[in-house]
Amino acid sequence: MAMRTYSSILITGASSGIGRALALAYAAPGVRLALAGRNPERTREIAEACRRKGAEISEAIIDVSDEAAMRSWILGEDDTRPLDLIVANAGVSSDTSGGGTPAEKAQRMEDINIGGVRFTIQPIYP
């Protein structure tokens, strides 16, 4: 089965793991990738790797649990070039959610893993 072709893709959590792999897989001439990550150095590295494959890149260092920032970023990206695909991939585990008490870590995981998906999809859904 052939993979559908997309020309404008937004990926959160693009600086590592599945998000990074998807960015590299989709990167090609004629494709615009809007990549978000929380680590500036790794986000810059994946953006450069995708540029070398011929993709047009927009990169953002953004907290997916920040609803207003996500809305602004996503709608701006869609205004630049209408999005064909959104991959709400950003996520953390208890090991990567930061310091604090177990309750604080659990809240941060919920904010990112659930709220981040909602804030990625909501702005563009209508």
Side-chain angles (χ1 to χ4, degrees), residues 41-70:
E41 184 178 316
R42 289 194 326 234
T43 302
R44 214 174 10 260
E45 287 171 4
I46 190 61
E48 284 305 315
C50 292
R51 282 186 186 102
R52 286 191 297 274
K53 292 182 78 173
E56 178 187 340
I57 304 298
S58 169
E59 58 189 277
I61 305 306
I62 195 163
D63 180 349
V64 296
S65 67
D66 182 336
E67 183 177 11
M70 289 296 288

Side-chain angles (χ1 to χ4, degrees), residues 99-120:
T101 67
E104 291 167 336
K105 284 184 168 193
Q107 183 61 58
R108 184 76 179 137
M109 286 173 47
E110 182 179 322
D111 291 346
I112 293 170
N113 298 348
I114 297 170
V117 171
R118 187 172 74 242
F119 298 152
T120 301

